[in-house]
């Protein structure tokens, strides 16, 4: 299944209960993402499975079947221009 959520986001886990992606997915269990694409302002800090990643100068970050995403957090929040596309 494919989905998209739009910012702004606070510093909570988007995949945790109450998070933007959890709310979007109809399953009762916490979703695990197989593919991930993020568009955000350069320099935006992201934590994927607890690992910090800083958005590069292109403002685009993608993961494609490399790691199963179980946690996605914007520790400093993200603005209304942020887009998260995913496959779960």
């Amino acid at each position: 299944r494919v989905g998209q959520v739009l910012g702004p986001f606070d510093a909570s886990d988007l995949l945790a209960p109450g998070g933007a992606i959890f709310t979007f997915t109809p399953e009762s269990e916490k979703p695990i993402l197989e593919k991930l694409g993020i568009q955000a302002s350069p320099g935006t800090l992201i934590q994927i499975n607890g690992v910090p990643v800083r958005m590069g100068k292109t403002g685009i970050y993608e993961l494609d079947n490399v790691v199963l995403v179980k946690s996605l957090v914007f520790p400093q929040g993200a603005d209304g221009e942020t887009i998260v596309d995913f496959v779960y």
Side-chain angles (χ1 to χ4, degrees):
R1 297 181 183 190
V2 177
Q4 181 182 72
V5 291
L6 308 174
F9 302 115
D10 60 20
S12 62
D13 185 349
L14 274 65
L15 299 173
I21 293 175
F22 183 91
T23 303
F24 178 88
T25 57
E27 292 76 17
S28 59
E29 296 180 16
K30 184 176 179 179
I32 296 175
L33 308 183
E34 297 175 8
K35 296 181 182 183
L36 176 67
I38 300 172
Q39 295 177 49
S41 300
T44 299
L45 184 60
I46 308 160
Q47 284 185 348
I48 300 171
N49 295 344
V51 177
V53 176
R54 179 116 9 222
M55 184 66 69
K57 65 181 180 179
T58 64
I60 298 171
Y61 186 84
E62 296 179 341
L63 284 175
D64 187 10
N65 295 319
V66 176
V67 63
L68 295 178
V69 178
K70 299 178 182 180
S71 174
L72 179 62
V73 178
F74 291 91
Q76 300 166 342
D79 64 27
E81 301 299 315
T82 302
I83 301 170
V84 178
D85 297 311
F86 56 92
V87 175
Y88 64 104

